[in-house]
Amino acid sequence: MCENLTSGIIGCGKVAAIHASALTSISGSAFTAVCDSDEKRAREFAARYGVTAYTSVSEMVSREKLDLVTICTPHPVHRQPAIDAIREGANVLIEKPLASSLEDCDAMLDAAREHGRQIGMISQRRFYAPCLRLKKAIEDGKIGKPALGTVFMFG
């Protein structure tokens, strides 16, 4: 359970609905705002959840005094909204992958360190039994040091 956690979503595409559902179901949480570069999409998404729509990350975080934002934008554009949210005082949770380049990852992590904020990445299969077995096999040296991996998931 959390106490008085104010949150918002950046990026109102298809995965944002999953985040909105989670944020509205957390006891003690206040999901208050969404942000998208497409104003119409932001307004329509906001209306579904009874929250405020924005097109500026900085404005959303500062006006709503957000503790946390989740970033649901396409991964090539994770960097700037993350940095803007962090600079305004929010902690950030990002849909995988963290970013499209090492440079973008470093910039986001540097901003989090500089502003004393937390940044995390969602990897929804990290506790999935097959993933845990594979991780253990790598750690135990059973399959050598991976250089590249490809996964096909069915179902």
Side-chain angles (χ1 to χ4, degrees):
M1 183 172 140
C2 60
E3 296 291 326
N4 302 320
L5 177 72
T6 57
S7 60
I9 296 173
I10 300 169
C12 296
K14 63 182 179 178
V15 76
I18 296 168
H19 287 249
S21 177
L23 292 173
T24 58
S25 69
I26 299 171
S27 176
S29 171
F31 169 45
T32 65
V34 296
C35 181
D36 196 283
S37 59
D38 180 330
E39 184 177 359
K40 182 179 181 223
R41 182 165 54 179
R43 279 188 280 118
E44 289 172 355
F45 192 90
R48 275 189 277 167
Y49 294 94
V51 300
T52 307
Y54 291 88
T55 56
S56 163
V57 171
S58 296
E59 181 182 1
M60 177 181 75
V61 174
S62 71
R63 278 195 183 171
E64 301 289 328
K65 298 180 179 17
L66 298 179
D67 298 306
L68 166 75
V69 297
T70 63
I71 297 184
C72 303
T73 61
H75 53 270
V77 290
H78 283 174
R79 177 184 177 155
Q80 200 56 54
I83 291 172
D84 291 348
I86 289 165
R87 286 182 179 155
E88 291 297 330
N91 296 291
V92 175
L93 186 61
I94 301 174
E95 268 292 334
K96 65 175 177 20
L98 187 60
S100 295
S101 72
L102 183 58
E103 178 185 342
D104 287 355
C105 290
D106 287 342
M108 293 186 295
L109 295 171
D110 288 346
R113 273 189 224 93
E114 179 183 340
H115 294 278
R117 297 289 153 221
Q118 297 292 312
I119 188 169
M121 182 190 73
I122 296 171
S123 180
Q124 66 268 44
R125 300 250 191 253
R126 80 176 55 157
F127 300 114
Y128 189 53
C131 295
L132 291 172
R133 282 195 310 273
L134 183 58
K135 182 177 185 286
K136 182 159 178 28
I138 292 168
E139 289 172 345
D140 293 347
K142 291 182 178 181
I143 61 173
K145 182 179 177 183
L148 176 67
T150 302
V151 175
F152 293 97
M153 293 186 63
F154 303 98

